[in-house]
Amino acid sequence: MNKFEGTWLMIKGADTYWYPEFIEFKNDQIIYYKLSKKAENGLLEKKQNHVEKLSQTKHEFVADNRIRIYRMGEKQIVISETESITEDTKFATDYERIEPTKTKLTRKEIQQIDLKAEWNEEIIPIVFNKNLDSPAIQEVNKRLKKEGQKLLLESLQGTYFASIYDNGERRTLIGIKEMDKEKAVLFGFPEKPYEIIATSVKKNTGYNNV
């Protein structure tokens, strides 16, 4: 496989507020894609956003399926309530090549399995179609008529993603590299380990999976 071949998922860091993005390489071009807001039957649709020249970027491969692209930008530093300064800063963004998820499970079966993983000492629940906020936050959201956070199962080019939605907007994609009824290999994390194992947990009663 050509080292630039395929479609690549932008890896979001904790301080990244940009919406999910994909790139593809063609000749000397980096083609950027955004996603349609709605996924028909869980199928994501990418739409071309903009293009830049690969030869005009600084980049490096940090793993076989992971490329890091550097760009210059400005960082604002707040000094006080009325004063701030800006500095020229080099920003690095990682992109990971997606590949079709290895699984024998159907879409419905995947959504019926609850998983949990640990990354950087944080427990990550992978539970589809259920409000993930605490009961207290759910009460606040109900009064404010907000949807809160939930995971939806979506796919692009045969790759399944646990898509994190916040108040109806898609924020982050966690890729599923492979999955069976006992575990899943997840990818798309900003720091090592780039892949983690999520294990199935006992189903709580009252979940409404679709």
Side-chain angles (χ1 to χ4, degrees):
M1 176 184 290
N2 182 296
K3 64 179 182 179
F4 291 106
E5 186 177 337
T7 301
W8 303 68
L9 168 69
M10 180 186 73
I11 307 302
K12 295 181 64 175
D15 57 351
T16 303
Y17 297 98
W18 195 247
Y19 290 99
E21 175 182 85
F22 290 87
I23 62 172
E24 293 178 355
F25 299 93
K26 184 176 181 180
N27 300 324
D28 187 38
Q29 291 184 329
I30 307 175
I31 306 170
Y32 290 81
Y33 297 92
K34 60 182 180 179
L35 294 174
S36 298
K37 290 187 176 181
K38 299 296 183 182
E40 295 294 332
N41 298 317
L43 296 176
L44 295 168
E45 180 184 357
K46 64 184 195 297
K47 296 180 178 295
Q48 184 172 324
N49 193 13
H50 65 279
V51 176
E52 68 177 343
K53 288 189 174 182
L54 176 63
S55 59
Q56 294 179 353
T57 68
K58 180 181 178 182
H59 58 273
E60 64 175 330
F61 285 88
V62 295
D64 289 342
N65 288 321
R66 197 176 182 101
I67 189 170
R68 182 168 296 159
I69 299 176
Y70 297 90
R71 301 178 181 87
M72 293 303 298
E74 291 185 344
K75 179 172 67 174
Q76 187 175 45
I77 301 174
V78 177
I79 299 174
S80 66
E81 292 183 0
T82 59
E83 187 178 3
S84 65
I85 61 174
T86 58
E87 290 183 349
D88 290 335
T89 305
K90 182 186 290 184
F91 294 94
T93 305
D94 283 9
Y95 296 84
E96 186 160 341
R97 181 170 21 221
I98 66 171
E99 297 176 346
T101 301
K102 297 177 181 177
T103 185
K104 295 182 179 179
L105 302 175
T106 66
R107 176 183 295 273
K108 182 177 181 180
E109 288 172 333
I110 291 174
Q111 292 178 92
Q112 292 174 341
I113 299 172
D114 292 354
L115 302 160
K116 72 173 180 179
E118 183 175 347
W119 184 78
N120 281 3
E121 299 182 353
E122 178 183 356
I123 299 299
I124 303 174
I126 306 295
V127 181
F128 294 104
N129 309 312
K130 180 180 182 293
N131 194 308
L132 299 178
D133 294 314
S134 68
I137 295 298
Q138 289 186 45
E139 284 299 318
V140 172
N141 286 340
K142 186 176 180 180
R143 292 198 298 271
L144 297 176
K145 296 182 179 181
K146 292 185 176 182
E147 296 182 33
Q149 294 191 73
K150 63 180 178 180
L151 287 183
L152 297 182
L153 183 66
E154 298 181 319
S155 63
L156 176 69
Q157 299 171 191
T159 305
Y160 282 114
F161 296 94
S163 298
I164 302 175
Y165 276 75
D166 188 10
N167 296 320
E169 292 190 327
R170 188 189 298 110
R171 293 293 185 180
T172 303
L173 301 179
I174 299 175
I176 304 175
K177 185 174 183 179
E178 55 186 87
M179 183 173 178
D180 57 30
K181 292 184 178 181
E182 302 299 325
K183 66 182 184 302
V185 180
L186 308 177
F187 69 91
F189 298 92
E191 301 171 6
K192 292 183 178 180
Y194 299 142
E195 294 182 359
I196 60 175
I197 304 294
T199 55
S200 62
V201 298
K202 184 178 180 180
K203 176 79 72 175
N204 292 327
T205 58
Y207 285 7
N208 294 317
N209 294 282
V210 296

